[in-house]
Amino acid sequence: MSHIPTDLKYTEEHEWISLKGKLGKIGITDHAQDALGDVVYVELPEVGDKVVKGEAFGSVESVKAASDLFAPVSGTVVEVNEELDDSPELVNKSPYDDGWMIVVEVEDESELEELLTPEEYEEQVEGE
């Protein structure tokens, strides 16, 4: 079974977010990277771009498929993981640590309440 950290919130599309103050760090889950296979390219927004909850903010390409990345919350991108340009495999090796994707300044923290808890996400993954 995939590793599901208990201190994060999740989307049904397999993104995670960790919140520190108003800053939300976003990436894809262990389950998602496992399903994708070897990641070969990650397309991410620029610092200053706006992301909208539920809308695509980038994509991940693997040897098997390309998959959109969906924003768990709305906000402004304040940091992008530049390491993924040269080392997209970090998404596979370390989806919750080195393989994070963007940090956003969260506009509306109430949006977080609509995300899945670790327990709810685990149930979803087991049901797939």
Side-chain angles (χ1 to χ4, degrees):
M1 192 172 86
S2 300
H3 173 57
I4 300 175
T6 56
D7 57 341
L8 305 174
K9 292 276 207 170
Y10 298 90
T11 68
E12 291 180 5
E13 294 82 23
H14 309 291
E15 288 83 22
W16 58 262
I17 183 168
S18 70
L19 203 64
K20 287 194 178 112
K22 280 216 158 283
L23 298 181
K25 185 180 273 189
I26 299 168
I28 64 169
T29 65
D30 189 34
H31 176 79
Q33 70 77 20
D34 190 50
L36 279 167
D38 292 337
V39 173
V40 292
Y41 180 71
V42 182
E43 183 183 342
L44 297 172
E46 307 275 325
V47 169
D49 286 355
K50 296 261 191 225
V51 299
V52 178
K53 177 181 167 65
E55 293 188 9
F57 69 82
S59 63
V60 177
E61 289 179 32
S62 71
V63 287
K64 291 197 282 196
S67 187
D68 281 338
L69 299 165
F70 294 95
V73 294
S74 300
T76 304
V77 178
V78 295
E79 195 178 345
V80 175
N81 189 348
E82 306 284 351
E83 295 225 352
L84 298 181
D85 287 345
D86 297 325
S87 305
E89 69 277 1
L90 288 172
V91 173
N92 294 116
K93 289 183 186 149
S94 180
Y96 299 112
D97 295 310
D98 299 335
W100 65 274
M101 296 182 173
I102 60 173
V103 176
V104 299
E105 187 172 335
V106 179
E107 273 173 27
D108 180 358
E109 290 182 43
S110 71
E111 288 181 340
L112 292 157
E113 295 163 23
E114 298 163 31
L115 299 173
L116 302 175
T117 65
E119 296 75 24
E120 289 166 336
Y121 181 68
E122 187 173 345
E123 280 176 28
Q124 177 190 313
V125 169
E126 285 173 358
E128 284 185 359

